[in-house]
Amino acid sequence: MEKLQAIRGMNDILPENSLSWQYLESAFQRVIKRFGYQEIRFPVLEHTQLFKRSIGEVTDIVEKEMYSFDDRNGDNLSLRPEGTAGCVRAADQHGLLYNQQQRFWYQGPMFRHERPQKGRYRQFHQFGVEAFGMPGPDIDAEVLQIAAMLWQELDLSDFLTLELNNIGSAEDRANFGSALTEFLQSKEDQLDEDARNRMHTNPMRVLDSKNPDVQAALIDVPLLEDFVSAESKQHYAELQDLLNSASIDFIENPRLVRGLDYYNNCVFEWTTDTLGAQGAVCGGGRYDGLVAQLGGRDVLACGFAIGVERLILMLDSLGKIPQDALQPIDIYVTCIGQNVTKQTLDLAQAIRESQPQLGVISHCGGGKFNSQLKRAFNSGAKIAVILERDGDGESTLETAKIRRLDDSAETASHKIAVIPQKVAEFLEKSES
Ligand code: AMP
């Protein structure tokens, strides 16, 4: 029978890789705790309408990348393509945004039907932060500090660049959109069908057209920056000032617009040139209109999302994951001969109780000395504790051996009662 395979673009994370994931997750959680953010969890499935109303009907994500279907009740649902919409829905539904400031973080899988390639998947994972009820730019600087501190924690700061842009308020963008539509109408005969369709629904998308004829028609196109209000410019200048004083380097990128409609004022992306084509590792900005747009009150907001797979790719390729994070097993306790099972289980447990920081595997399933030792080596443990009985005696074993699982094969014998203490000393010695 043909074996079933995973869905294209959806990855299994196998034990050897999940150690890198755990390393990254714990770094993120350490950092986010320092900033006092609280975790929020929300479903992977939502009403499709939520994403249409937030991300925007005429965006790549909503037009062609969502996994949407009618469920058995006939409700049209979608797997979440990003976290902000669900976070806002959940927080507002439970009254967390009413006259309050909130700082949230989340993590989990997101789903987009994109063309899979290195760094781009159909199920991928994000860490995100969302802050509500603060006008900025101090909170904007704070969320950027979180990302910067994470890069520091992971020793990736030298490989990431912060790109910033000011896309203006919703009103500025609406004015710009009208001017753009007017301009595009005057060039209608030079546009392709796609651009003509978008000219009314989402004229800003026409600017990204890959068609050289369309690009040629855009020579004297109005510029967004000419429509950005003085207030928005001031916010942006103040943010830059805060970033300078926090020693967070950035470059301005006037082409940075982001693929989601809900952003306003400052938007940003951290990018790297270590990943090839998929160089965006973290994206975010302000989205002051979104809560109201989804039926809530006027609640100012900003946040970002980090692509976990891309960070893992960076960490792996740059060799930034410390060896001990990749070695979860410290001790392998062997169980050789007759009537040693109970004592083996007891000893492994005694080590765990006395040295709770260590990972201890207790051998199961019997077998000869050599095959057990081979398993001990293969487990990645640093030392083996060897419980071995030659004959078939009934008496309890008095001593066990500790053996270093490297070429030195250094071995020592000790009374079983002191083994938990001795293994810790043995391991410490090898680290110093
Ligand atoms: P976005 O929600 O599009 O702003 O994306 C935020 C971050 O998520 C990006 O900077 C990427 O690191 C990551 N990301 C977005 N789409 C994908 C994807 N299809 N596969 C892997 N990572 C992604």
Side-chain angles (χ1 to χ4, degrees):
M1 203 194 300
E2 199 188 328
K3 278 198 186 160
L4 290 171
Q5 302 277 320
I7 297 167
R8 196 162 116 80
M10 303 207 177
N11 299 316
D12 300 310
I13 299 157
L14 302 179
E16 57 180 314
N17 302 116
S18 65
L19 294 168
S20 309
W21 282 67
Q22 285 170 21
Y23 171 72
L24 177 55
E25 282 161 5
S26 63
F28 179 71
Q29 287 176 20
R30 267 197 315 277
V31 169
I32 202 70
K33 193 161 172 247
R34 291 180 200 147
F35 286 83
Y37 282 58
Q38 293 177 295
E39 188 184 11
I40 181 163
R41 302 188 189 202
F42 40 87
V44 293
L45 264 185
E46 298 273 359
H47 290 284
T48 300
Q49 206 52 30
L50 173 68
F51 303 116
K52 288 193 173 168
R53 274 167 55 184
S54 53
I55 298 166
E57 296 254 12
V58 195
T59 55
D60 278 349
I61 294 179
V62 170
E63 271 187 344
K64 48 187 191 213
E65 294 171 3
M66 285 209 296
Y67 283 89
S68 303
F69 61 95
D70 289 333
D71 78 353
R72 290 167 197 272
N73 303 331
D75 291 330
N76 195 257
L77 309 179
S78 295
L79 283 167
R80 61 185 187 191
E82 56 100 59
T84 304
C87 179
V88 168
R89 199 267 314 131
D92 191 47
Q93 181 176 333
H94 297 284
L96 303 181
L97 301 182
Y98 178 55
N99 260 349
Q100 296 174 67
Q101 296 187 341
Q102 298 287 6
R103 290 172 166 86
F104 296 138
W105 68 269
Y106 60 84
Q107 69 178 50
M110 308 294 161
F111 304 84
R112 294 183 198 173
H113 196 275
E114 296 190 82
R115 205 161 44 79
Q117 55 172 259
K118 184 182 163 208
R120 191 165 70 194
Y121 310 105
R122 291 182 173 170
Q123 173 175 307
F124 61 98
H125 296 73
Q126 291 184 335
F127 294 131
V129 308
E130 313 289 357
F132 296 98
M134 291 161 268
D138 43 7
I139 188 65
D140 310 344
E142 178 180 291
V143 300
L144 288 164
Q145 268 180 322
I146 296 174
M149 192 173 232
L150 180 64
W151 313 147
Q152 242 169 35
E153 193 88 0
L154 299 170
D155 197 20
L156 293 179
S157 307
D158 290 346
F159 305 93
L160 286 157
T161 305
L162 172 59
E163 301 182 19
L164 281 188
N165 192 22
N166 182 8
I167 58 170
S169 66
E171 197 187 337
D172 301 342
R173 294 213 294 155
N175 292 336
F176 172 59
S178 311
L180 202 53
T181 302
E182 212 171 290
F183 171 86
L184 293 170
Q185 275 171 324
S186 74
K187 305 274 176 182
E188 193 161 354
D189 51 344
Q190 297 172 55
L191 302 181
D192 59 14
E193 196 187 331
D194 201 37
R196 274 200 295 270
N197 285 339
R198 294 222 156 116
M199 155 171 103
H200 296 286
T201 50
N202 193 346
M204 274 171 253
R205 294 268 317 272
V206 178
L207 302 179
D208 297 331
S209 169
K210 302 254 179 331
N211 182 340
D213 297 336
V214 174
Q215 282 300 334
L218 295 177
I219 292 243
D220 326 307
V221 73
L223 297 175
L224 173 59
E225 63 198 55
D226 295 329
F227 290 78
V228 172
S229 58
E231 194 188 345
S232 181
K233 282 185 175 144
Q234 190 184 341
H235 183 121
Y236 190 52
E238 284 173 19
L239 172 62
Q240 297 193 1
D241 198 32
L242 291 174
L243 293 177
N244 284 330
S245 84
S247 301
I248 296 178
D249 294 336
F250 59 87
I251 56 169
E252 288 189 72
N253 176 1
R255 296 188 60 84
L256 180 67
V257 286
R258 317 259 313 115
L260 302 92
D261 280 354
Y262 50 66
Y263 286 110
N264 67 281
N265 285 339
C266 32
V267 292
F268 57 84
E269 227 162 56
W270 294 85
T271 57
T272 180
D273 54 16
T274 62
L275 289 180
Q278 306 304 321
V281 168
C282 168
R286 291 203 68 87
Y287 51 95
D288 295 315
L290 181 59
V291 182
Q293 204 174 308
L294 291 177
R297 291 164 196 260
D298 255 335
V299 179
L300 306 178
C302 73
F304 69 62
I306 293 174
V308 178
E309 280 81 355
R310 292 188 191 172
L311 262 192
I312 304 258
L313 280 171
M314 273 185 89
L315 288 167
D316 279 344
S317 69
L318 296 167
K320 294 291 186 188
I321 303 189
Q323 258 316 304
D324 59 342
L326 299 174
Q327 253 185 336
I329 314 290
D330 300 289
I331 298 171
Y332 194 99
V333 186
T334 66
C335 177
I336 299 151
Q338 308 235 314
N339 298 324
V340 271
T341 311
K342 273 190 198 154
Q343 259 193 296
T344 305
L345 287 173
D346 284 351
L347 179 55
Q349 193 68 351
I351 300 173
R352 293 183 191 112
E353 280 166 8
S354 120
Q355 311 293 338
Q357 75 285 9
L358 300 180
V360 183
I361 288 187
S362 172
H363 180 84
C364 294
K368 297 215 160 54
F369 177 80
N370 279 345
S371 75
Q372 292 201 25
L373 201 61
K374 202 165 156 199
R375 279 192 204 277
F377 271 107
N378 290 343
S379 75
K382 295 173 200 125
I383 57 177
V385 170
I386 300 170
L387 275 167
E388 183 176 16
R389 186 199 297 285
D390 289 335
D392 57 0
E394 291 290 318
S395 61
T396 50
L397 282 178
E398 296 287 327
T399 59
K401 281 187 205 144
I402 301 176
R403 172 176 164 154
R404 205 177 287 290
L405 291 167
D406 61 12
D407 292 342
S408 77
E410 184 189 349
T411 305
S413 261
H414 293 285
K415 289 245 180 305
I416 284 182
V418 299
I419 289 279
Q421 184 51 38
K422 293 290 176 191
V423 287
E425 287 168 20
F426 222 75
L427 284 167
E428 259 165 41
K429 205 168 66 177
S430 58
E431 268 152 29
S432 57

